[in-house]
Structures are given as C-alpha cells and as structure tokens.
Amino acid sequence: MASPDPAGVTVTFAGSGDAFGSGGRFQACIHLRPAGVAPVLLDCGATSLPALRRCGLDPGGIAAVFVSHLHGDHFGGLPFLILDAQFAGRTAPLVVAGPAGTGQRLAEAMECMFPGSSRIRRRFAVEVTELRPGGSATVAAGVRAQAFEASHPSGAPALILRLTLGGRIIAYTGDTAWTHAIAGAAAGADLLIAEAYYWDKAVPHHLRHADLASRRGELTARRTVLTHMSADMLGRQQQACCETAHDGLVLQL
Ligand SMILES: [Zn+2]
Ligand SMILES: [Zn+2]
C-alpha cells in the first residue's frame, strides 16, 4: 500500500477582502499550514484576529507572518496578534518577515494604538526579518521565502512573495500594478494568489482582472486564485478567468 504523501499545505483564506470591507470581507489574511509543522500567515490585515477565529484557527499557533507590504490592510493586525499572544502566555517566538522598515513600522503601529506596548517585556520574542527584493531567506519552520519587487507605494519597498513550504510553492502578489516580476515569482508554482482589485478600471498601483487575463500565457502557476477584490470585481466573479477566493475558502495543495 502506498504511504500517504508526507508533504502538502492546507491554505485557508481567513481574510480575502480589500482594505475597505467590500462584500463584508475581512482584510488580507491567508493561513498556510504545511504538513507536520507550525502554520504561517501571508499578510495580517487589521481584521485578522476575528478572521482567524471565525475559521477556527488558533492565532497563538502561528510561527511566522510574511508581510507583503506595510499598508494597514496587510500588516495592521500584527499589534493585535502580538498583544493577544502576550495575554495568552505565549512562549514560542513569533517571526515577522516583511519589507525593509518592517521593524520600525511595527513598533510605531503598536505605540500608536497601544502606547507602551512595543517596549513591554514579553515571554516570547518577536523576531523581525527584513526581506529585500531579489533576496531569499529561510525564515521559520523550514519556510523559504523569496522576495520580488512590487509596484505599490507604501512607505517601503512592497514585495511579491514566493514561499516554499511543505514541499509546495506558493506565490503571492500582495498589492501591485502589473510587473513582470509576478510571472517570475509564480513560475511553476503550485499556487498563485493574485490581487484582482478591479475588473478593468484603470486604478494606479493595483492589479486588475484585465491585467491577469491578458497575461495568462506568462503565468505558469498550476493554479491561480484571485483575492483582494473590490465591489466592482466581486460583482463580476462569475466571468473571471480564474478561481476566486472568499473568506473561509480552504484549499489542499
Ligand atoms: Zn491592500
Ligand atoms: Zn496596499
């Protein structure tokens, strides 16, 4: 009898929304559970604690958070995640991997929302790893992260991420205008998670469905799932070129 595949990743879209709650959705928060090791997050928008709890996922079990860029709907949940872990008595370190400036912006966000919280003694370490476009790092629990330069002003270089974990490759655009770096990050990946903010309206600094549909030939990921959709795009999901995410969607890779 064949032994079961020891690899694999369970992907849960805890939050699949844009910054503004379109469709009643939570902000970006994608939970990745590789077989046999601790889960990690791709982005942690401000609404991520309720998003995770609604899916029955334990925020305290998350080993690392990979942040695509430093906008509130992608990293604004970190102060809540860290404070919740502090009150819950967490002892395992939490890795936060994001663009240059992540450490400073996280401390500023914590001080702004909960004064004194960035300097308090905790029983667990928050280990910040800053990723550079063109670079790669083994960050936590055997997760390898490669970063590519996105086109999305956010006070720091925004990243497109390519994670290797559980024997699978997952690429994530974060927010970005079309750039050929998306094709590089997604090359041969098991899953591409792509922003599709608008259907075809020209909005700066974001991906549209039209951008992805016209470049399908360049995108060689085995599977593509669209996320971060505005009300305009949500209304046209049935016509989309790819699968679309919703809060609570679970994929097995
Ligand atoms: Zn966003
Ligand atoms: Zn953004």
Side-chain angles (χ1 to χ4, degrees), residues 9-13 30-32 42 161-163 165 168-173 182 185-194 220-226 242-245 249-253:
V9 182
T10 304
V11 180
T12 304
F13 288 82
I30 303 159
H31 185 273
L32 310 177
L42 264 178
L161 296 168
R162 176 183 171 96
L163 302 187
L165 71 173
R168 304 290 185 268
I169 296 173
I170 298 174
Y172 175 51
T173 63
I182 296 169
D190 295 283
L191 175 66
L192 167 63
I193 301 168
T220 59
R222 277 186 258 293
R223 189 171 182 180
T224 299
V225 176
L226 308 180
C242 314
E243 297 172 71
T244 55
L249 175 67
V250 179
L251 310 177
Q252 299 289 345
L253 299 182

Side-chain angles (χ1 to χ4, degrees), residues 78-105:
L78 282 170
F80 304 105
L81 185 74
I82 291 167
L83 286 181
D84 179 62
Q86 181 183 319
F87 298 140
R90 177 176 180 136
T91 54
L94 174 69
V95 175
V96 177
T102 294
Q104 183 183 342
R105 289 279 292 279

Side-chain angles (χ1 to χ4, degrees), residues 19-244:
F20 309 113
S22 296
R25 294 177 175 219
F26 292 121
Q27 295 171 3
C29 180
I30 303 159
H31 185 273
L32 310 177
R33 184 190 298 279
V37 292
V40 302
L41 289 185
L42 264 178
D43 278 343
C44 185
T47 56
S48 293
L49 279 189
L52 290 165
R53 294 198 202 285
R54 184 163 289 193
C55 290
L57 298 167
D58 175 19
I62 291 161
V65 180
F66 293 86
V67 175
S68 65
H69 66 290
L70 299 176
H71 275 157
D73 59 317
H74 296 261
F75 93 111
L78 282 170
F80 304 105
L81 185 74
I82 291 167
L83 286 181
D84 179 62
Q86 181 183 319
F87 298 140
R90 177 176 180 136
T91 54
L94 174 69
V95 175
V96 177
T102 294
Q104 183 183 342
R105 289 279 292 279
L106 175 57
E108 290 168 356
M110 293 196 71
E111 282 307 306
C112 181
M113 293 199 281
F114 301 100
S117 66
S118 74
R119 300 185 301 273
I120 205 157
R121 276 179 66 86
R122 296 185 205 101
R123 290 200 289 165
F124 68 100
V126 176
E127 299 170 358
V128 175
T129 298
E130 298 191 344
L131 303 169
R132 314 253 161 210
S136 64
T138 298
V139 175
V143 183
R144 182 137 196 94
Q146 281 178 269
F148 298 73
E149 186 173 357
S151 174
H152 188 75
S154 50
L159 303 176
I160 298 161
L161 296 168
R162 176 183 171 96
L163 302 187
T164 303
L165 71 173
R168 304 290 185 268
I169 296 173
I170 298 174
Y172 175 51
T173 63
D175 295 355
T176 181
W178 172 261
T179 156
H180 286 289
I182 296 169
D190 295 283
L191 175 66
L192 167 63
I193 301 168
E195 179 191 25
Y197 195 29
Y198 277 85
W199 179 256
D200 61 1
K201 180 179 161 188
V203 286
H205 318 309
H206 285 279
L207 267 177
R208 307 168 307 165
H209 179 272
D211 299 315
L212 294 161
S214 66
R215 279 131 175 146
R216 290 295 315 266
E218 295 174 52
L219 298 170
T220 59
R222 277 186 258 293
R223 189 171 182 180
T224 299
V225 176
L226 308 180
T227 191
H228 201 285
M229 292 176 277
S230 65
D232 161 73
M233 180 61 207
L234 287 169
R236 304 184 77 158
Q237 282 185 83
Q238 304 308 325
Q239 301 158 254
C241 61
C242 314
E243 297 172 71
T244 55

